Amino acid sequence: MERTFIAIKPDGVQRGLVGEIIRRFEAKGFLLVGMKLTQVSREQAEKHYDVHRERPFFESLVNFITSGPVVAMVWEGKGVVASARKLIGATNPLTSEPGTIRGDFGVDVGRNLIHGSDAIETAEREINLWFSQEELTTWESSVSSWLYE
Ligand code: DAT
Ligand code: MG
């Protein structure tokens, strides 16, 4: 089954949106298979945002993600990588659709609350960067037959 990496950034934690964000993923029908509250090191942040290394906002991105605790999660389900990106909304919260996490709760692109992997291969890389095998669980929800045909 497909898995994706989701992180509630320091602004989401500070603003008390951890429960609300997790609720949306649960309500959609995705399965939480890994979760931790973690203070990200500079080294890990730079690895995570490696594709943006040459962008002008790289430094502030790394400063921001390391500025406070982050809730790192792995969610599982059919098509979860693309679907999570839809639940999250467009990168800039000002243009994210209402009903999405960023569209409902954010204003500034540098405070957009949440990260989600952008492709299946990215998800594999990010899950391995943030979690060890022992930190991930394999389980089946007792309502899975009411979610999947
Ligand atoms: P996303 O988080 O939607 O995958 P991304 O991977 O393009 O977006 O960029 C990573 C983060 O960098 C994004 O969540 C916020 C920040 N960012 C992106 N574009 C930016 C810009 N033009 N100015 C400032 N920060 C930006
Ligand atoms: Mg991205």
Side-chain angles (χ1 to χ4, degrees):
M1 189 62 100
E2 195 172 302
R3 288 180 169 187
T4 195
F5 173 70
I6 300 293
I8 304 174
K9 300 180 185 181
D11 53 338
V13 175
Q14 289 287 351
R15 291 182 53 205
L17 291 170
V18 170
E20 170 66 22
I21 290 170
I22 291 174
R23 188 196 65 75
R24 291 184 178 210
F25 282 86
E26 282 186 326
K28 173 71 176 169
F30 292 132
L31 195 72
L32 184 61
V33 295
M35 178 164 75
K36 60 185 171 188
L37 181 79
T38 177
Q39 176 68 51
V40 186
S41 70
R42 202 155 186 93
E43 186 190 359
Q44 167 140 350
E46 288 180 359
K47 277 188 195 159
H48 175 74
Y49 282 127
D50 193 54
V51 293
H52 299 303
R53 203 171 276 276
E54 305 306 326
R55 311 281 282 276
F57 54 83
F58 180 73
E59 191 65 19
S60 62
L61 201 52
V62 170
N63 287 341
F64 174 55
I65 198 94
T66 57
S67 67
V70 164
V71 177
M73 298 177 282
V74 178
W75 287 88
E76 182 180 280
K78 185 176 182 178
V80 69
V81 173
S83 180
R85 295 279 294 186
K86 288 201 160 191
L87 292 175
I88 289 168
T91 304
N92 187 338
L94 273 187
T95 55
S96 310
E97 293 294 329
T100 66
I101 292 164
R102 288 169 173 167
D104 285 349
F105 301 116
V107 180
D108 196 301
V109 70
R111 299 286 184 272
N112 66 3
L113 299 157
I114 178 167
H115 167 84
S117 308
D118 62 9
I120 290 174
E121 310 77 65
T122 320
E124 281 168 13
R125 176 188 167 273
E126 291 175 349
I127 290 167
N128 288 326
L129 176 63
W130 287 77
F131 287 91
S132 65
Q133 267 317 310
E134 307 79 68
E135 288 175 312
L136 299 175
T137 58
T138 298
W139 65 291
E140 192 182 338
S141 162
S142 58
V143 301
S144 65
S145 66
W146 301 103
L147 281 162
Y148 291 100
E149 194 177 8

